Amino acid sequence: MEKVSLASKVKNVFMTAKEYWSVPAKGNYIPYKEVASLSGAGFGVYWTTLLASAIGLSASNFLVGASIGLRPMDLQVMLIVANLVGIPIGIFRSWYYDNHHLQGGKFLPFIRRTGLPIVLISTVFVWLPYENMQYITKAVVVWFMYMLMNVFLCFYNESYTYFQQIITPNAQERANVMSISQVIYSLAPTITNLFIPLIAGLTWGLNNIWTYRVIYPVFTVVGLIIGTVFFRRVKERLILPKKRPEPVRMLDAIREVAKNKYYWIIQAAAWVVFLESGYGVVLNWSFVYGYGGEYQSSLGLANTVIGNAALWSMLLCPLAIKKMGKRNLLITANAINIVILLILYFVYKNLIMICVLWYINTFINTFWNIVQHQISADMRDYHQWKTGVRIDGLFGPLGMIGTVIGFFTGLVYPAIYEKMGLLEDYNVLYDDTMRNNLFEVLILCSALGALLNLIPFCFYDLTENKHKAYVGVLKIRAMFENFALGELEDGELVDAMSVIVEAKEHYGKEKVSVSGDKAQKKKAGETNLAIERAAIIMQDLTKFSGQAGMARLRQAKADIAKGRLCPYEDAAQELANARKLPKKTAEEKEIRSDAIKNARIKKRAAALIRKYGADRIKAPDEAVMAELKDREAHTFTESLRIKRELNAWLKAASVYADAVKPYTDAESLIKQAGYYAHYEELEKRYYELCSADSVQ
């Protein structure tokens, strides 16, 4: 019977894969064929960036530290300067993600365009003749090449991270797909972790630059070829109306992002993660420098066995998320990691115990690595629900706060290294006493960092069920807007109306008692979750019929009556009056918040009109913008002139947009209310489609 049962299960797996190979299962978005392509693409990503990722400005970096021979504190200063120069580049990159017009998607165009430069620059980097350079020359060359490479590497890595977050709007499907794809493309690090240290141990060693000159480029070129092939077979999925998105103004986006509490929770955890990372050198340095370096060639085998731990957590992660939720899983993983680090403090002199603890640590940390991408994606969907604007890249500029904090926190470990005696000669790590003393300090600092990293997520309350409700609201909004545009497809209508039908069925009901047998408890739990979602969905569906919604519409109509370019001389008084509004009930708080936001927009508009004069604030001529984009520059001076004219146009456009924002916001709100008035018409069409399907 067992053999038959196993055979049936295997057959069922193949039948399911065949059935959904080209068409996704009901309720899902991604067919198995695309999951396979995503897995291959991930394999290519890892190998494409393998050499580039091996180049870092830190003392723990074998290539720049041990091979090229730069001091820890010098490397940290170089990193700070690189980050300072990178701030304006990062701000541009963040803005460009949300405002470019490249063909092929929001992030895929960057992945397809930046892989080749990364491979070329990283290969040139390692082949430069550092052996014949003075120390200061080496430092300058390393810094310049690092900066040049990271211009492309940041675009590539960020685009790939963001892309994974928008492959599907279904959070559980996203977890399943990422888990499956990571299991497959984790073969890439498994292969490199096994063979590179093994080959290096038999040839030049991991602390010799010839390893990076000869071995690494082979993998990166192969990775580029694999990635190029598979990235042509995947696509992005964002829930957006089919109208062309308006350009996202950076300052507006930053102001809205600053109000996103989940963004700050994620950022706060990121600010202290540097401290938790200190123990990361213990495994590699124990193999390379411990026992006189005689076990260096075994590092590849150890990494391969340890890497196997990630496979099990990748497989279990979707189930763990479903059972525990992302927040609880993160907190649990971090708590276990603290215990592991404390045990490591007492056994780090035993190479076998290091490997055992590293195996467990890898198993736990893989959950963290998967879930952090999931919560980042959920946070962006929440932001789109909250503000009505989809942004991804423009979360970046506020993240520069973390970069500035990193200028100071990044000095901690280099200072410890140098205080403990590690300068430009990394051979001192062969000294057991020196190395062990350093390890003890690093492990204790890491345990403290893991504790600090855990605390912010105690305040994270964006549950999977809330996220599902927010995505449902986004579907409903897109349905209304696409209907107004005359571009609503039947599939979109059915998808959005199904959300509404379920919400209406459960709206206003009391949660049921979770008791009885397992099946009854499950049903009761699902009912309670549906009731919770219904409150969020119906609140949005009826937002123009409540007191707050009607107040917004009255204000919008009043703002429209004042004209497109109103001086708003009483904006300051309006803001003061808004702050005095009552805030006892939830509806009163909403009305007050809307009034304050509206008054602030008017106050800014009034300030701009006073500064520039109403007669100088004009709607930008789109033809001028098109001409500037198409104009060819034959000389460097000409290119600068085009850039100046383009900047002037963008500034004028920004001033005009902010000056008329009270009017355009009011116009947009009234239009949206008009969209929602077509609900009964859409409902009728939905039931007609359902009837036609049932007849068939």
Side-chain angles (χ1 to χ4, degrees):
M1 289 295 293
E2 289 182 3
K3 289 183 179 179
V4 174
S5 176
L6 180 60
S8 297
K9 290 180 180 179
V10 172
K11 182 179 179 182
N12 185 55
V13 169
F14 280 104
M15 291 297 291
T16 303
K18 182 179 179 181
E19 182 179 0
Y20 301 121
W21 180 251
S22 300
V23 180
K26 185 177 180 181
N28 288 344
Y29 294 81
I30 307 177
Y32 285 6
K33 179 171 65 175
E34 191 172 342
V35 176
S37 296
L38 181 66
S39 305
F43 194 106
V45 167
Y46 186 88
W47 277 9
T48 299
T49 61
L50 181 65
L51 179 54
S53 300
I55 301 167
L57 301 182
S58 71
S60 62
N61 186 269
F62 278 125
L63 174 55
V64 176
S67 301
I68 297 177
L70 298 179
R71 295 180 58 168
M73 191 58 74
D74 292 342
L75 285 168
Q76 186 58 37
V77 171
M78 290 161 64
L79 181 60
I80 290 174
V81 176
N83 287 336
L84 281 171
V85 175
I87 286 176
I89 299 174
I91 291 173
F92 167 77
R93 187 170 62 248
S94 300
W95 171 84
Y96 197 49
Y97 281 134
D98 291 318
N99 291 280
H100 73 82
H101 300 296
L102 299 175
Q103 296 295 316
K106 190 167 188 177
F107 301 112
L108 282 172
F110 298 104
I111 298 174
R112 292 165 178 160
R113 287 170 168 80
T114 54
L116 180 59
I118 291 169
V119 171
L120 293 176
I121 295 169
S122 58
T123 303
V124 171
F125 186 111
V126 295
W127 274 96
L128 291 172
Y130 299 105
E131 303 91 330
N132 302 323
M133 296 180 186
Q134 297 293 323
Y135 184 87
I136 187 64
T137 306
K138 282 195 295 187
V140 171
V141 169
V142 165
W143 182 88
F144 175 79
M145 293 298 294
Y146 175 85
M147 279 300 304
L148 180 61
M149 180 179 66
N150 271 275
V151 169
F152 299 97
L153 187 62
C154 289
F155 261 118
Y156 191 82
N157 285 336
E158 285 185 6
S159 298
Y160 180 62
T161 299
Y162 292 149
F163 162 71
Q164 292 180 89
Q165 295 170 3
I166 60 171
I167 52 174
T168 170
N170 184 322
Q172 188 60 48
E173 184 189 20
R174 184 164 56 227
N176 296 341
V177 169
M178 289 178 67
S179 176
I180 294 169
S181 63
Q182 285 182 325
V183 167
I184 298 172
Y185 74 63
S186 64
L187 287 172
T190 299
I191 293 170
T192 55
N193 288 341
L194 173 62
F195 288 105
I196 288 181
L198 180 62
I199 298 170
L202 298 174
T203 53
W204 303 284
L206 287 171
N207 52 358
N208 189 302
I209 197 169
W210 279 98
T211 299
Y212 303 91
R213 287 173 173 170
V214 177
I215 300 172
Y216 276 72
V218 175
F219 287 92
T220 59
V221 170
V222 173
L224 179 63
I225 295 170
I226 294 172
T228 301
V229 171
F230 283 106
F231 271 120
R232 296 184 183 280
R233 302 175 184 176
V234 294
K235 63 180 181 179
E236 304 168 353
R237 294 171 180 85
L238 281 171
I239 300 176
L240 292 170
K242 292 175 182 175
K243 68 178 182 180
R244 183 176 177 180
E246 293 294 326
V248 181
R249 294 189 294 278
M250 185 175 295
L251 291 178
D252 288 344
I254 290 174
R255 280 194 291 266
E256 292 301 328
V257 168
K259 301 172 189 175
N260 188 325
K261 64 177 181 178
Y262 300 117
Y263 173 79
W264 291 115
I265 288 171
I266 294 170
Q267 286 299 303
W271 294 340
V272 296
V273 77
F274 83 95
L275 200 59
E276 187 177 355
S277 65
Y279 75 97
V281 299
V282 173
L283 177 71
N284 288 341
W285 284 2
S286 293
F287 272 91
V288 174
Y289 297 106
Y291 305 94
E294 63 177 297
Y295 294 111
Q296 181 178 164
S297 60
S298 301
L299 178 59
L301 178 61
N303 278 331
T304 302
V305 174
I306 291 168
N308 174 259
L311 170 65
W312 306 112
S313 39
M314 288 174 192
L315 292 171
L316 291 172
C317 195
L319 179 62
I321 290 173
K322 193 172 184 179
K323 293 290 184 183
M324 301 175 63
K326 301 182 187 75
R327 169 186 177 272
N328 293 339
L329 183 55
L330 281 175
I331 291 174
T332 303
N334 243 341
I336 295 173
N337 198 33
I338 293 170
V339 175
I340 292 171
L341 288 169
L342 293 177
I343 295 173
L344 179 64
Y345 179 81
F346 296 100
V347 300
Y348 69 86
K349 295 179 183 178
N350 187 310
L351 202 54
I352 294 176
M353 284 303 300
I354 290 176
C355 292
V356 170
L357 290 174
W358 232 263
Y359 188 93
I360 301 171
N361 177 263
T362 301
F363 176 78
I364 296 300
N365 278 349
T366 303
F367 285 113
W368 166 265
N369 292 334
I370 295 174
V371 173
Q372 68 172 336
H373 294 305
Q374 298 285 327
I375 63 171
S376 183
D378 291 353
M379 178 267 293
R380 284 165 166 77
D381 291 337
Y382 162 82
H383 190 83
Q384 185 181 353
W385 165 82
K386 186 77 174 175
T387 66
V389 178
R390 178 72 193 195
I391 62 171
D392 290 280
L394 283 173
F395 279 94
L398 268 182
M400 296 299 173
I401 295 173
T403 302
V404 175
I405 293 173
F407 293 161
F408 303 99
T409 58
L411 294 169
V412 172
Y413 281 125
I416 291 174
Y417 288 149
E418 296 203 358
K419 183 72 174 178
M420 303 293 288
L422 177 60
L423 301 174
E424 68 266 22
D425 182 8
Y426 283 67
N427 288 329
V428 296
L429 291 169
Y430 286 112
D431 185 308
D432 291 344
T433 302
M434 182 272 178
R435 189 180 64 256
N436 291 341
N437 290 339
L438 179 59
F439 282 175
E440 289 179 3
V441 175
L442 296 179
I443 293 167
L444 289 177
C445 288
S446 296
L448 175 61
L451 175 62
L452 294 175
N453 186 256
L454 178 151
I455 294 172
F457 288 106
C458 295
F459 302 94
Y460 184 89
D461 63 353
L462 179 54
T463 64
E464 284 66 26
N465 198 50
K466 283 183 182 178
H467 175 262
K468 187 175 181 179
Y470 298 151
V471 170
V473 171
L474 295 179
K475 290 179 181 179
I476 294 167
R477 292 176 185 172
M479 174 187 72
F480 282 122
E481 291 200 36
N482 287 338
F483 175 73
L485 292 168
E487 297 186 23
L488 179 62
E489 297 175 3
D490 289 345
E492 293 175 300
L493 172 65
V494 171
D495 202 13
M497 284 300 302
S498 298
V499 173
I500 296 173
V501 169
E502 184 195 54
K504 282 189 168 184
E505 181 185 346
H506 294 91
Y507 182 60
K509 292 184 178 179
E510 294 290 331
K511 289 189 176 181
V512 300
S513 174
V514 181
S515 59
D517 59 25
K518 187 175 180 181
Q520 290 173 323
K521 287 180 178 179
K522 182 179 179 181
K523 185 177 179 180
E526 290 174 351
T527 299
N528 289 338
L529 291 174
I531 291 171
E532 183 183 18
R533 291 196 301 273
I536 296 171
I537 291 162
M538 293 305 296
Q539 182 184 24
D540 192 84
L541 194 64
T542 59
K543 62 186 174 183
F544 294 113
S545 58
Q547 289 185 22
M550 289 188 289
R552 280 198 296 269
L553 282 173
R554 284 195 299 271
Q555 185 61 61
K557 290 174 183 176
D559 291 339
I560 288 286
K562 292 178 182 178
R564 184 172 289 273
L565 199 62
C566 176
Y568 300 109
E569 294 167 351
D570 58 346
Q573 185 58 49
E574 189 174 331
L575 179 58
N577 293 340
R579 286 174 172 154
K580 294 176 183 177
L581 289 173
K583 51 180 178 179
K584 293 181 180 179
T585 67
E587 199 148 37
E588 285 178 346
K589 288 178 181 177
E590 189 177 352
I591 292 171
R592 180 178 180 272
S593 175
D594 288 340
I596 290 173
K597 180 180 178 181
N598 185 264
R600 283 175 174 164
I601 291 171
K602 290 176 182 175
K603 190 177 178 182
R604 172 161 176 75
L608 288 171
I609 292 170
R610 284 196 303 271
K611 180 177 179 180
Y612 294 100
D615 57 328
R616 293 176 57 196
I617 299 176
K618 301 184 184 298
D621 187 348
E622 296 292 338
V624 173
M625 178 62 148
E627 188 275 327
L628 286 170
K629 284 184 175 180
D630 295 338
R631 190 191 302 175
E632 292 185 12
H634 300 288
T635 65
F636 179 69
T637 305
E638 210 171 323
S639 67
L640 290 178
R641 187 182 303 116
I642 293 172
K643 188 174 184 302
R644 281 197 301 270
E645 290 181 32
L646 185 58
N647 287 338
W649 189 95
L650 290 171
K651 182 179 178 181
S654 178
V655 169
Y656 176 79
D658 283 343
V660 301
K661 188 170 172 56
Y663 182 93
T664 54
D665 281 358
E667 188 178 48
S668 178
L669 186 74
I670 292 170
K671 278 184 181 179
Q672 193 180 55
Y675 299 157
Y676 278 55
H678 291 284
Y679 172 72
E680 291 183 1
E681 184 180 347
L682 290 168
E683 185 181 45
K684 180 181 177 182
R685 181 175 159 188
Y686 165 72
Y687 283 116
E688 287 173 353
L689 288 170
C690 291
S691 298
D693 287 342
S694 63
V695 170
Q696 292 175 1

